[in-house]
Amino acid sequence: MSSSSSCGVSPSVRTEILNPISSRFFAPSRINFQPRSKCEMINRRGFALKGIVASGVSVMGSSLTSEPVQGVERLPFKPDGYNFWTWRGRKIHYVVQGEGFPIVLIHGFGASAFHWRYNIPELAKNYKVYAIDLLGFGWSEKAIIEYDAMIWRDQVVDFLKEVVKEPTVLVGNSLGGFTALVAAVGLPEQVVGLALLNSAGQFGDTKAKTTESEETFLQKFVLKPLKEVFQRVVLQVLFWQAKQPTRIESVLKNVYINTSNVDDYLVESIKMPADDPNAGEVYYRLMTRFMLNQTEYTLDSFLSKLTCPLLLLWGDLDPWVGPAKANRIKEFYPNTTLVNLKAGHCPHDEVPELANKALVDWLSTIAKKASSLQTV
């Protein structure tokens, strides 16, 4: 990645961050099993810069005065969290409800287990539902480490082995979707189904050069340190901008096409973890070492090793990750069921009644197959 792409922020991008185009508003409608027309997929850098602002939602105070979605039960918000598990000496938060066949829900970038607030109670009527906070997010410890996709893969794999201990379906949104994919590949004997909701991750570029020239003395000891200092300054400024209440509201409305579920509960569930003293450093490390450098791990490299049924539950109106990506995943991995929803980047929270129905319908077939295999 060149210095200009990793350190600077172009005027057009800066304008987009501070003054996003107002989103259109759509009422939730029926599930559409026919793929929509293709839309252009965003590039990796654009997604990362928008991730800067999305994680900035986590700093606005509010009181939990909003009412839950009519007719949909909501997980009670607990400021101290629910349950904790120690992993490699780190404190990991998770929620567990219900009995039966287990499901593990994995949140996206900047979110937490509470983002599944409208899904956990409904799914728990028939299944044992876990929702885990990834290391560095939510109520889990803000460890000062070098983050990459394999850290969260190892966390989820160990959670399945040590806590769940049964054949399981993984469900992930955005970054949590990619984490669920790599975990499913890492533990195929226990993961019997995978559901991705507007997953992060990119297909590999077969034309990209794989060789890197050796760094010169000037690059290694002068230019690289200066680049890192400049990155930190730029990210600090962007993070400060992202904390402003007007900016927070704009970002939420940008990723939720129908904004009726953008409420105090949602804001508070993402705001509280940012009060951790290590949150700022974790954010910087996530952005510079993970979000802006995602070339090592690609969707196709893991999909080619996947062995279980795959559900794509896709918000077609996502301004960041459009339906073309879902179509490409389905084309690459034929053992896929694609369900299109009229929603944005987080369909499970924007249209929970539709997302829950699609998940339950698909899960019923997966659970039956898993049960039959156990009895054989």
Side-chain angles (χ1 to χ4, degrees):
M1 183 176 290
S2 67
S3 298
S4 61
S5 63
S6 58
C7 296
V9 179
S10 68
S12 61
V13 172
R14 188 179 299 110
T15 301
E16 181 181 0
I17 291 173
L18 297 175
N19 299 290
I21 299 174
S22 299
S23 301
R24 293 175 295 168
F25 295 85
F26 293 86
S29 62
R30 64 181 178 84
I31 299 174
N32 178 12
F33 287 85
Q34 297 298 321
R36 292 167 55 85
S37 59
K38 289 186 177 181
C39 76
E40 183 180 357
M41 293 194 297
I42 61 170
N43 61 41
R44 187 177 295 110
R45 179 172 179 271
F47 185 83
L49 286 172
K50 291 176 180 176
I52 292 172
V53 187
S55 62
V57 173
S58 59
V59 284
M60 174 182 174
S62 64
S63 57
L64 303 183
T65 58
S66 60
E67 294 297 325
V69 175
Q70 188 173 3
V72 182
E73 186 178 353
R74 185 172 69 180
L75 179 75
F77 181 80
K78 292 186 178 182
D80 296 328
Y82 276 77
N83 307 281
F84 291 90
W85 163 63
T86 300
W87 177 68
R88 298 182 180 178
R90 308 290 188 181
K91 187 174 72 171
I92 302 298
H93 173 252
Y94 70 97
V95 178
V96 58
Q97 285 193 1
E99 296 295 336
F101 183 81
I103 308 162
V104 177
L105 310 176
I106 309 173
H107 63 81
F109 189 90
S112 72
F114 287 110
H115 204 196
W116 302 96
R117 53 185 173 161
Y118 290 119
N119 315 107
I120 294 172
E122 183 64 27
L123 296 174
K125 293 177 180 178
N126 297 294
Y127 302 98
K128 188 169 187 177
V129 183
Y130 297 87
I132 188 172
D133 283 351
L134 297 176
L135 186 67
F137 294 106
W139 275 247
S140 287
E141 188 171 335
K142 308 301 178 292
I144 305 301
I145 61 171
E146 301 305 318
Y147 288 89
D148 75 2
M150 297 302 102
I151 292 292
W152 297 311
R153 176 203 63 182
D154 293 347
Q155 177 192 341
V156 172
V157 165
D158 288 346
F159 184 78
L160 296 180
K161 291 178 179 179
E162 298 178 20
V163 180
V164 181
K165 301 178 182 179
E166 296 180 68
T168 310
V169 167
L170 295 181
V171 181
N173 170 236
S174 193
L175 172 63
F178 190 74
T179 300
L181 171 61
V182 297
V185 171
L187 195 64
E189 64 272 23
Q190 191 171 343
V191 179
V192 297
L194 174 67
L196 304 181
L197 292 78
N198 294 65
S199 178
Q202 299 294 331
F203 281 88
D205 183 0
T206 57
K207 298 180 181 180
K209 295 181 180 180
T210 57
T211 59
E212 294 183 4
S213 59
E214 185 177 348
E215 288 183 315
T216 65
F217 180 88
L218 179 64
Q219 290 172 325
K220 185 174 182 179
F221 296 103
V222 180
L223 298 179
K224 189 174 181 179
L226 285 174
K227 168 185 170 181
E228 292 176 354
V229 170
F230 187 62
Q231 276 184 328
R232 185 175 288 274
V233 171
V234 169
L235 288 173
Q236 285 176 342
V237 171
L238 290 175
F239 191 47
W240 180 86
Q241 292 173 339
K243 293 181 180 182
Q244 307 312 307
T246 53
R247 182 67 206 136
I248 294 167
E249 183 179 0
S250 295
V251 171
L252 289 172
K253 289 183 177 179
N254 188 40
V255 296
Y256 280 63
I257 304 304
N258 182 293
T259 60
S260 59
N261 283 1
V262 175
D263 55 18
D264 294 338
Y265 182 117
L266 178 61
V267 172
E268 190 71 10
S269 71
I270 310 176
K271 171 251 176 188
M272 290 191 67
D275 294 333
D276 188 288
N278 288 346
E281 180 63 22
V282 169
Y283 170 81
Y284 170 76
R285 289 171 181 243
L286 286 168
M287 296 310 303
T288 56
R289 286 137 168 98
F290 176 69
M291 291 295 286
L292 295 180
N293 296 286
Q294 300 182 69
T295 57
E296 186 175 355
Y297 309 112
T298 61
L299 283 172
D300 45 304
S301 66
F302 290 103
L303 286 170
S304 63
K305 301 172 186 176
L306 190 66
T307 57
C308 64
L310 172 63
L311 170 67
L312 297 178
L313 192 54
W314 218 263
D316 273 0
L317 305 177
D318 186 346
W320 296 352
V321 186
K325 184 175 184 179
N327 294 334
R328 187 173 180 186
I329 293 173
K330 185 176 179 5
E331 181 180 351
F332 187 93
Y333 190 72
N335 190 14
T336 297
T337 301
L338 174 58
V339 178
N340 301 93
L341 300 175
K342 306 288 188 181
H345 190 61
C346 308
H348 61 291
D349 193 60
E350 183 178 342
V351 287
E353 62 280 21
L354 300 182
N356 288 338
K357 183 181 185 306
L359 276 170
V360 168
D361 289 347
W362 179 77
L363 284 168
S364 63
T365 62
I366 302 299
K368 287 179 182 177
K369 289 180 181 178
S371 298
S372 63
L373 289 175
Q374 283 183 299
T375 57
V376 173

